[in-house]
């Protein structure tokens, strides 16, 4: 499967890449200060990056010479980051967590996405933004949003707003969730499962679970990583769904043109307008690569140092891409959608928590 790389001059990318890199460096510095002061970053570096990029864009609108590099970082670098993320996924964890719990997590993610998407649409969110919020809340936060965004052709404003608002409410959950352990009567193990099923992202699971107990942190991390395994199938699903929607739109446009008086070509009479099917069109290259790397990791052939290097590189590329998305984002567009996003994310979190508590009792997890 050949990759269609954009025709751009490397020199034209430098200003935008340098700007995104500067925002990235500042963001990681802020995250390091959080770690030094609090023991862990309450707001992840990539969230800081997108917020800081938006602040820079608001205070100073970059000239057109920055556009090529910023767009390249927001799209191509992001795709490479998602591709590399596959090698850090440990597929055997699905079995290690137990088949019943694994099936419960799959059901919880599916219900969470469906409910969150439906709630977002009812509250007036655009379709693509509702998809991003639903996937981010139900799977693994920023990584899910970053992975789904390119396959549905989401706007930069949608990516930025979904990450920003879900991250803010994610911090609220980190602070508030430990307070529920007592009223719920949960053991440390049960609370770890609850944190892994409910909290927005992996670092925030650590922040919500390890302060309660070491066991809660270990269990929460394991459950969260099993939840992250849903990223690949979900992205493939939305990729296929987006392609199918595009094909229907093309057929409708063709039918409308014919009905408006444009006589169709005789050779095409009665022939449905279908897209050319290929793996490259149905599933983006970086998703195929993500799944292949995850499978390769499961064989045990990937050495631990290589996994660590790929994870680090993926993290940095993702942060750079988030900074670029922030730099290309219009805060006014985000502000217009803010209230609906907050209500959608809040409702989604309440559902996830309720489903998680029910799942813990149903499976008699002790």
């Amino acid at each position: 499967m050949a990759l269609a790389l954009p025709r751009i001059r490397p020199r034209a990318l430098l200003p935008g890449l340098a700007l995104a890199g500067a925002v990235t460096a500042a963001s990681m510095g802020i995250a390091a200060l959080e770690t030094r002061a609090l023991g862990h970053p309450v707001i992840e570096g990539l969230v800081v990056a997108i917020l800081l990029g938006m602040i820079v864009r608001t205070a100073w609108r970059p000239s057109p010479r920055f556009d090529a590099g910023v767009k390249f970082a927001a799209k191509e670098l992001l795709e490479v980051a998602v591709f590399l993320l596959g090698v850090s996924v440990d597929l055997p964890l699905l079995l290690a967590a137990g088949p019943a719990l694994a099936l419960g997590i799959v059901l919880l993610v599916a219900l969470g996405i469906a409910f969150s998407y439906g709630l977002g649409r009812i509250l007036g969110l655009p379709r693509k933004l509702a998809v991003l919020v639903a996937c981010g809340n139900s799977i693994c936060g920023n990584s899910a949003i970053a992975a789904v965004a390119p396959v549905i052709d989401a706007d930069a404003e949608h990516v930025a707003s979904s990450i920003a608002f879900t991250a803010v409410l994610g911090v609220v959950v980190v602070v508030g969730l430990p307070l529920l352990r007592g009223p719920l009567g949960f053991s440390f193990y049960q609370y770890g499962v609850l944190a892994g099923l409910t909290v927005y992202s992996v670092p925030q699971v650590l922040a919500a679970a390890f302060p309660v107990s070491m066991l809660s942190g270990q269990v929460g991390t394991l459950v969260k990583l099993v939840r992250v395994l849903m990223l690949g199938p979900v992205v493939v699903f939305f990729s296929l769904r987006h392609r199918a929607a595009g094909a229907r739109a093309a057929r409708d446009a063709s039918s409308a043109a014919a009905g408006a008086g444009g006589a169709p070509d005789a050779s095409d009479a009665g022939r449905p307008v279908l897209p050319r099917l290929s793996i490259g069109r149905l599933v983006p290259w970086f998703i195929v690569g993500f799944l292949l790397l995850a499978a390769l990791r499961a064989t045990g052939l990937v050495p631990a140092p290589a996994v660590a290097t790929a994870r680090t590189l993926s993290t940095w590329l993702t942060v750079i891409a988030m900074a670029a998305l922030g730099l290309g984002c219009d805060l006014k567009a985000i502000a217009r959608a803010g209230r609906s996003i907050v209500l959608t994310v809040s409702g989604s979190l309440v559902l996830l928590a309720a489903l998680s508590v029910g799942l813990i009792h149903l499976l008699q997890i002790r």
Side-chain angles (χ1 to χ4, degrees), residues 172-186 191 194 208 212:
V172 175
V173 173
V174 167
V175 175
L177 193 65
L179 302 177
L180 296 180
R181 192 181 78 84
L184 291 172
F186 276 3
Y191 175 77
L194 176 65
V212 173

Side-chain angles (χ1 to χ4, degrees), residues 6 10 14 36 46 69 72 83 90 165 171 182 184-185 225 239 261 268 281 321 359 366:
L14 292 179
R36 179 175 297 181
L46 68 162
F72 180 85
F83 163 67
D90 192 355
F165 285 107
V171 174
L184 291 172
L225 290 178
S239 176
D268 293 331
R281 286 179 61 86
L359 183 64
R366 295 290 180 263

Side-chain angles (χ1 to χ4, degrees), residues 23-24 27 44-54 319-320 322-323 326:
V23 173
T24 298
S27 303
E44 301 169 63
L46 68 162
V47 178
V48 176
I50 199 167
L51 294 175
L52 189 57
M54 290 158 56
V319 176
I320 294 173
M322 293 302 103

Side-chain angles (χ1 to χ4, degrees), residues 73-156:
K75 186 177 186 298
E76 276 73 27
L77 291 188
L78 181 57
E79 291 177 352
V80 175
V82 174
F83 163 67
L84 292 174
L85 185 65
V87 80
S88 67
V89 174
D90 192 355
L91 291 178
L93 283 174
L94 185 60
L95 298 177
L101 180 56
L103 289 175
I105 294 171
V106 171
L107 180 61
L108 182 141
V109 169
L111 290 175
I113 291 176
F115 177 87
S116 301
Y117 175 78
L119 179 62
R121 296 294 286 152
I122 290 172
L123 293 173
L125 291 186
R127 183 180 63 82
K128 293 179 181 179
L129 180 54
V131 169
L132 294 180
V133 171
C135 291
N137 240 32
S138 303
I139 306 176
C140 54
N142 304 321
S143 297
I145 293 171
V148 172
V151 303
I152 65 172
D153 296 327
D155 297 335

